[in-house]
Amino acid sequence: MTGYASVQHAPASTEDNASAQNVRLGLEIRAVNSRFLDLTFRLPDELRSQEPALRSLLTQRLKRGKVEVRAAIDVDACASLPQPTPALLQRMQSIQDLVQAWLPTAKGLSVSDALRLAGSGNAVQVDWQEVVPALAETAVTALIDARAREGKRLADMLKDRLSQLRDLAAQAGPLVPQLVEQQRQRFLERWQEAMGLTEGQVTPEAARERALSEATAFAIRIDVAEEITRLSSHLDEVERLLKKGGEIGKRLDFLIQEMHREANTLGSKSAALDLTRISVDMKVLIEQMREQVQNIE
């Protein structure tokens, strides 16, 4: 199922690292539909060491989906600019004079060089090993909540398709006895015509018996009661799983395959356009369900 979550964290500053308050960590997780769990990480160099922990967390909490994890560290450069002291600037000047005395062609320090050197001893240090797991847990929980909302929408759609399939099955049931009776009458008429052509060579009882035998064979051949019963059983099981919830995606996928098989068999036994139409409508609905079921955990 699809889902998106985004969280941010700003480490608290301390006496030893007051500039940490100028650092922001943003973490976002995107998930799109997939039959399997496919994880992708896009992390800055500072967080590369956290990838195994993130992968383990996502594997434990998620089962299916193409999941992308993005993280970015944002440093407020303006707020974190160092303020070099006169003593430090004087020392920089002395060192520059010494270097240029030996290397006359050496370039002098620029303002940015001076600021970089002044801030090199006061670099922002954050223990990401403590920050990232908790932040990731929050993001995954938000993602699961988003996917749960998407799952409810999918469940409503599946229930609607279940209702339509039940209606089609109810329409198919009464058609078979009507077809059998119609075919029985046709057989009787045909055998009566045949009796007239044979000029009494076949007794009426034999002709009627043969007609009823043909009608019985036809009824057996087109009987779809067993398919409708199995289809109804699968519909009941799908509905039960939707109410139960949890990790039901693979079981639903199997049931959809079985439902498609029953709809195919019903179509192959069809002896009337109405049954063929019902079979086609069933397969369309089942295919719509299959597309969505593959996205459910």
Side-chain angles (χ1 to χ4, degrees), residues 10 28 38 43 47 58 61 64 74 92 110 139 144-145 148 162 173 193 198 202 221 237 261 273:
E28 65 178 31
D38 182 11
L43 308 175
L47 302 181
L58 292 171
R61 301 289 301 276
R64 301 173 80 174
D74 180 36
M92 288 183 187
S110 65
I144 291 175
D145 291 341
L162 290 177
E193 293 174 359
T198 57
V202 179
R221 189 166 64 252
E237 181 65 9
R261 182 178 293 111
L273 289 177

Side-chain angles (χ1 to χ4, degrees), residues 6-289:
S6 177
V7 293
Q8 292 187 349
H9 178 78
S13 62
T14 63
E15 292 182 359
D16 297 332
N17 192 14
S19 60
Q21 62 183 338
N22 301 315
V23 179
R24 299 290 186 275
L25 170 61
L27 183 67
E28 65 178 31
I29 305 178
R30 302 173 183 266
V32 295
N33 301 329
S34 177
R35 296 185 63 183
F36 307 99
L37 182 61
D38 182 11
L39 302 178
T40 302
F41 296 89
R42 302 186 184 280
L43 308 175
D45 293 338
E46 296 90 334
L47 302 181
R48 287 294 180 188
S49 61
Q50 301 302 311
E51 182 174 329
L54 290 172
R55 185 177 296 273
S56 176
L57 172 64
L58 292 171
T59 303
Q60 292 174 7
R61 301 289 301 276
L62 306 175
K63 300 302 179 185
R64 301 173 80 174
K66 185 176 180 60
V67 182
E68 181 182 51
V69 180
R70 288 178 176 267
I73 298 175
D74 180 36
V75 179
D76 188 348
C78 293
S80 60
L81 284 177
Q83 294 184 358
T85 62
L88 179 59
L89 291 174
Q90 185 177 6
R91 179 167 176 74
M92 288 183 187
Q93 183 65 50
S94 298
I95 294 175
Q96 176 178 273
D97 293 342
L98 178 62
V99 171
Q100 289 179 335
W102 286 90
L103 301 172
T105 59
K107 295 175 61 177
L109 291 173
S110 65
V111 174
S112 61
D113 292 335
L115 292 175
R116 177 173 53 80
L117 292 173
S120 60
N122 191 32
V124 175
Q125 299 294 329
V126 178
D127 187 358
W128 297 117
Q129 190 170 358
E130 294 183 1
V131 173
V132 172
L135 191 64
E137 186 74 37
T138 301
V140 172
T141 299
L143 176 69
I144 291 175
D145 291 341
R147 296 179 77 179
R149 293 189 294 271
E150 175 72 6
K152 184 180 183 305
R153 186 190 66 79
L154 290 179
D156 292 340
M157 185 277 291
L158 292 175
K159 290 177 181 178
D160 176 69
R161 301 302 186 273
L162 290 177
S163 177
Q164 294 184 52
L165 285 169
R166 291 188 190 278
D167 291 341
L168 290 173
Q171 295 174 28
L175 290 177
V176 174
Q178 296 175 14
L179 291 172
V180 172
E181 181 59 26
Q182 292 173 7
Q183 194 66 22
R184 176 177 174 275
Q185 293 299 325
R186 291 194 189 100
F187 282 132
L188 287 174
E189 292 172 1
R190 287 169 56 190
W191 280 106
Q192 288 174 358
E193 293 174 359
M195 285 179 58
L197 294 175
T198 57
E199 297 180 350
Q201 296 180 11
V202 179
T203 64
E205 292 77 9
R208 182 178 179 82
E209 186 67 25
R210 180 63 182 273
L212 293 176
S213 176
E214 292 288 345
T216 301
F218 175 78
I220 294 173
R221 189 166 64 252
I222 70 167
D223 184 22
V224 294
E226 186 176 352
E227 285 73 20
I228 293 177
T229 299
R230 285 198 295 263
L231 179 62
S232 297
S233 176
H234 296 328
L235 294 176
D236 291 340
E237 181 65 9
V238 171
E239 190 169 5
R240 185 189 69 83
L241 290 174
L242 291 176
K243 290 180 179 178
K244 175 185 175 184
E247 297 175 10
I248 59 175
K250 292 183 178 180
R251 187 166 181 82
L252 285 177
D253 197 19
F254 170 76
L255 288 171
I256 292 297
Q257 294 179 23
E258 294 300 306
M259 291 163 56
H260 196 273
R261 182 178 293 111
E262 303 303 336
N264 266 334
T265 305
L266 189 148
S268 66
K269 288 185 174 183
S270 173
L273 289 177
D274 286 341
L275 272 177
T276 301
R277 175 189 58 79
I278 289 174
S279 173
V280 171
D281 289 346
M282 281 184 171
K283 286 189 282 188
V284 170
L285 292 171
I286 292 171
E287 188 60 32
Q288 291 174 356
M289 295 177 68

